[in-house]
Amino acid sequence: MKVDFAPLDVPLHRRVQTAAVLQWVFSFLGLAPLCISLFIYLLFTRFWLVSVLYATWWYIDFDTPARGGRRVPFLCGLRVWKHMRDYFPIKLVKTADLDPKHNYILGFHPHGVLVAGAFTNFCTYATGFQKLFPGLTTYLLMLPLWFRAPFFRDYAMCAGLIPSDKESASYPLRQKRGGNAVVIAVGGAPEALDAHPGTFNVLLANKKGFIKMAMEHGAHLVPVFSFGENEVYDQVENPRGTWLRWIQEHLQRIMGISLPLFHARGIFQYSFGLLPYRRPITTVVGRPIKVEKKQKPTPEELDALHQLYMDELSELFEEHKGNFGVDKDTHLNFV
């Protein structure tokens, strides 16, 4: 395989952008295991007290992720996130106002491999969400597994990430003052296995849990589509029914996380590696769907709202696809 090396005269600002994305990729893929290893290692050194004190703090602070987490605005506004934004680049598009008197559930599609668009737009201030939608605070859901990793759980909460279990997701929606927006990558980990460039598969046909949650809390639904999310990584072909897909799906059921075999480019070469490609991501926030509060919605009511949501998402995609080079004959495929 021929290796395409990066030129030596790459401008400094592009090197800085690459470094910003590198730390983000490491945070997603390697920081949690490193934190767990560090916690255990310190127990067997003269610094054992650090782990003991942290374990005590962890016990006291155990319920914080389920109660809205602990966002640190200073960290969300660091310049490193603007460098990461400019690497792809990532852009946020607003199509309608969201009244901060209400609470919202933003359905993010598609998941992609590492949800780069969701993290940059809703966990950092780099793309100006707080200016486009004043008065709203976003909470991006993340697998509860990651909040069991010492040290890493605190890092994740600093960015406004909270566990994706029902109790944690419901907490911001129960706040009567409004102004909270829970962001759900609806397809979740299984959808990452379908994140191939040029595909528009959306794992939504049987996903009704977030619809029920919206009805139980009277939270308005907002479809969000991220154009380019599937383009930043290549993935080993894994069609449904193949042995590779069978293994991946079974491991996902056992471990709770999916294991897509993805690749893109490296730091000093463009032929292989785990850094994403420099391809644009544009996240379009759709119009809100008004939801009336109902503690025990009937199956018929759930189905009707679910269909309305899919229709709105399809319309959002059709309205904007031409701006991002998507063929006019290409449509969303609900799986």
Side-chain angles (χ1 to χ4, degrees):
M1 180 182 70
K2 181 181 178 181
V3 178
D4 183 16
F5 288 99
L8 296 177
D9 58 348
V10 172
L12 178 60
H13 72 274
R14 290 177 66 89
R15 293 293 191 193
V16 173
Q17 292 168 5
T18 301
V21 173
L22 178 62
Q23 64 82 27
W24 171 74
V25 171
F26 171 74
S27 297
F28 261 77
L29 300 180
L31 187 56
L34 179 62
C35 288
I36 295 172
S37 300
L38 178 64
F39 178 81
I40 296 173
Y41 170 75
L42 290 175
L43 286 172
F44 299 94
T45 70
R46 59 189 177 126
F47 302 107
W48 59 270
L49 187 58
V50 173
S51 291
V52 171
L53 289 175
Y54 182 83
T56 304
W57 161 250
W58 192 356
Y59 176 80
I60 296 171
D61 193 55
F62 188 81
D63 292 331
T64 297
R67 294 176 180 171
R70 188 168 44 245
R71 184 191 300 270
V72 180
F74 170 75
L75 295 179
C76 295
L78 288 176
R79 189 165 183 80
V80 64
W81 306 123
K82 292 183 179 180
H83 291 307
M84 177 177 166
R85 173 201 65 193
D86 295 338
Y87 173 92
F88 294 92
I90 295 175
K91 183 180 180 182
L92 183 66
V93 174
K94 171 184 176 179
T95 63
D97 291 330
L98 298 181
D99 189 343
K101 295 179 181 178
H102 301 292
N103 291 321
Y104 298 88
I105 293 180
L106 275 61
F108 182 88
H109 313 271
H111 182 284
V113 173
L114 293 181
V115 286
F119 179 85
T120 307
N121 286 307
F122 304 120
C123 291
T124 79
Y125 301 154
T127 57
F129 180 91
Q130 77 279 17
K131 295 180 180 178
L132 291 174
F133 302 98
L136 285 185
T137 301
T138 53
Y139 300 86
L140 179 61
L141 301 192
M142 188 181 195
L143 285 173
L145 170 71
W146 302 119
F147 291 89
R148 298 168 191 160
F151 305 121
F152 182 80
R153 67 187 288 275
D154 299 276
Y155 171 79
M157 284 193 290
C158 286
L161 290 154
I162 61 174
S164 58
D165 59 85
K166 183 177 180 179
E167 180 62 26
S168 302
S170 296
Y171 181 85
L173 302 177
R174 290 198 299 265
Q175 309 309 307
K176 296 181 180 180
R177 66 181 182 275
N180 295 312
V182 173
V183 184
I184 304 176
V186 178
E191 193 175 70
L193 299 177
D194 286 327
H196 295 271
T199 61
F200 297 94
N201 298 317
V202 176
L203 191 58
L204 181 59
N206 297 308
K207 293 281 188 175
K208 300 179 183 178
F210 75 107
I211 301 290
K212 184 177 181 181
M213 183 182 298
M215 297 186 74
E216 290 174 342
H217 296 282
H220 296 347
L221 287 164
V222 182
V224 178
F225 195 86
S226 193
F227 291 90
E229 195 73 41
N230 284 346
E231 308 300 317
V232 297
Y233 279 108
D234 290 321
Q235 187 176 165
V236 174
E237 290 297 323
N238 58 343
R240 297 175 187 275
T242 61
W243 65 269
L244 175 58
R245 186 58 172 260
W246 184 89
I247 292 174
Q248 289 174 321
E249 290 176 343
H250 277 68
L251 287 176
Q252 192 272 322
R253 295 190 190 102
I254 296 170
M255 302 169 60
I257 58 175
S258 62
L259 298 173
L261 300 180
F262 62 93
H263 57 92
R265 52 157 290 188
I267 301 174
F268 302 110
Q269 45 76 30
Y270 304 138
S271 301
F272 59 88
L274 297 181
L275 279 181
Y277 294 121
R278 285 180 179 265
R279 293 173 181 170
I281 297 174
T282 303
T283 302
V284 183
V285 180
R287 296 179 293 270
I289 302 169
K290 187 176 180 180
V291 178
E292 297 294 335
K293 185 174 182 179
K294 193 159 189 178
Q295 288 291 342
K296 295 183 178 180
T298 65
E300 292 76 18
E301 291 169 329
L302 279 174
D303 289 342
L305 184 56
H306 180 256
Q307 185 61 52
L308 176 60
Y309 179 87
M310 289 199 297
D311 292 342
E312 287 290 327
L313 179 61
S314 292
E315 186 176 341
L316 180 70
F317 177 79
E318 296 296 331
E319 285 180 3
H320 295 273
K321 67 181 183 182
N323 299 329
F324 307 105
V326 180
D327 189 87
K328 64 179 181 179
D329 295 324
T330 298
H331 309 287
L332 290 183
N333 177 36
F334 291 115
V335 181

